[in-house]
Amino acid sequence: MTNRTSGYNFPTQLLKTLRFARQVAVLTGAGISAESGLATFRDPMTGLWAKFRPEELATPEAFQRNPKLVWEWYQWRREQVEKAAPNPGHFALAQIESKVPKFSLITQNVDSLHQQAGSKNVVELHGNIRRTKCFEENIVVESWPETEDVPPHCPRCGGLLRPDVVWFGENLPLEALYAAANASKNADLFFSIGTSGQVEPAASLPRLAQQNGATVVTINLEVTTTAFHKVYNFNGRAGEILPALVQKAWAG
Ligand code: BJW
């Protein structure tokens, strides 16, 4: 059964599945933070990759070639993130977590907006832009001496500092990847929200959940297509659909 549902006429079966779910897993991407004013990556007009080349900014080789450019670009991104606040989509997910027995929020986002909205069990697959780590030692660095150097240097080894995010060609944090895979395998309901599903291994999680028996729900501005059974596709803004879904599922 594949349901493409417009508006907020949520199928009764989906509302029941959500209300009585034992374990819910959610995968989010840049789209959920778009309504908080943060750019997505692949929107053809406003996405970051429409204006900047990932090969020049989001790979370890790019950092080695031009660390100043990469550091300053992330500094600019950090400032955007610091100005942003969670939107109703983030808050609705925190509400779902408070209502179901087991809940995992697997995010590709690096902006902490889920945590700010009150989500507790958050798995960050691609790191966090607010953290900094040493490029040489790969360990988180909390503070460093203020100098003119851009990027600054690691106070332990003198190596260059970089944002603690996962670039193309880098492995995801192993613990986060295991947690995400386990949550996906064990979920009876899996949401894929605001992601283009183009980046692996995150893109494979909905299939993993589905293959292990989960009902899958996608929420995306674009029409998403899928060959799987037991999938509900909602086209629209996550910040509108999710609060409506929570309201309907637990009304009364
Ligand atoms: C809305 C909305 C609204 C808008 N409401 N919706 C297997 C096959 C092929 C390649 C590979 C493979 N396995 C690994 C790879 C290589 C690579 C990869 O996947 N490449 C593909 C692109 C081809 N993956 C990796 O390198 C990963 N590492 C890895 O796998 O290591 C082992 C390995 C390495 C090499 C080879 C093989 C194995 C690491 C990936 C790291 C990704 N890093 C980034 C940058 C993070 C730091 C930063 O923030 O700068 O992560 S790239 C960028 O893409 C960012 C995102 O997290 C990620 C996903 O993007 P997302 O979130 O889906 O955003 P968009 O913009 O694409 O989509 C937004 C969606 O929202 C759209 O659909 C909109 O319609 C929608 N939307 N508004 C609802 N209001």
Side-chain angles (χ1 to χ4, degrees):
M1 152 206 40
T2 297
N3 290 327
R4 187 167 300 291
T5 313
S6 60
Y8 304 133
N9 296 320
F10 301 108
T12 311
Q13 185 55 48
L14 171 61
L15 297 175
K16 269 193 199 159
T17 304
L18 175 55
R19 204 177 312 127
F20 299 112
R22 283 170 296 107
Q23 185 154 352
V24 174
V26 177
L27 172 68
T28 61
I32 193 150
S33 294
E35 289 161 71
S36 295
L38 296 177
T40 65
F41 290 92
R42 295 175 182 80
D43 181 285
M45 300 305 285
T46 58
L48 291 168
W49 297 158
K51 296 183 197 145
F52 307 99
R53 283 163 52 81
E55 300 84 358
E56 285 169 16
L57 294 162
T59 69
E61 294 77 21
F63 184 76
Q64 280 170 313
R65 271 197 309 272
N66 197 342
K68 183 169 186 287
L69 174 81
V70 174
W71 177 269
E72 284 176 344
W73 188 69
Y74 276 95
Q75 197 63 26
W76 168 74
R77 297 256 319 276
R78 243 178 245 128
E79 285 164 17
Q80 314 295 309
V81 162
E82 271 157 25
K83 283 189 258 171
N87 66 59
H90 295 106
F91 287 114
L93 291 173
Q95 263 185 296
I96 296 178
E97 182 168 15
S98 72
K99 291 177 187 297
V100 299
K102 281 187 101 178
F103 182 92
S104 302
L105 206 160
I106 306 157
T107 189
Q108 298 168 85
N109 298 345
V110 295
D111 57 27
S112 304
L113 292 183
H114 287 302
Q115 291 92 329
Q116 285 181 30
S119 287
K120 296 200 167 55
N121 191 21
V122 180
V123 177
E124 293 182 322
L125 284 181
H126 293 164
N128 193 304
I129 200 168
R130 294 169 194 261
R131 280 194 310 264
T132 297
K133 68 178 181 179
C134 173
F135 185 77
E136 299 300 330
E137 299 179 301
N138 201 31
I139 53 170
V140 172
V141 174
E142 305 280 354
S143 61
W144 51 89
E146 285 293 326
T147 65
E148 303 278 285
D149 297 340
V150 182
H153 289 272
C154 172
R156 277 167 50 100
C157 76
L160 293 179
L161 296 182
R162 56 162 284 182
D164 187 7
V165 298
V166 181
W167 286 327
F168 285 113
E170 293 189 310
N171 288 318
L172 277 65
L174 211 53
E175 207 179 311
L177 192 56
Y178 280 140
N182 274 333
S184 305
K185 274 188 212 156
N186 293 321
D188 32 40
L189 183 57
F190 185 98
F191 287 86
S192 174
I193 304 170
T195 176
S196 59
Q198 291 191 33
V199 175
E200 295 290 353
S204 294
L205 295 173
R207 188 177 308 121
L208 183 65
Q210 215 276 336
Q211 283 166 347
N212 285 276
T215 296
V216 174
V217 178
T218 72
I219 300 177
N220 199 301
L221 269 189
E222 294 164 355
V223 174
T224 50
T225 51
T226 170
F228 294 124
H229 298 290
K230 288 210 304 186
V231 174
Y232 297 95
N233 297 304
F234 294 96
N235 300 126
R237 290 165 177 265
E240 292 171 4
I241 295 172
L242 282 166
L245 179 62
V246 171
Q247 206 274 328
K248 287 263 171 64
W250 283 281

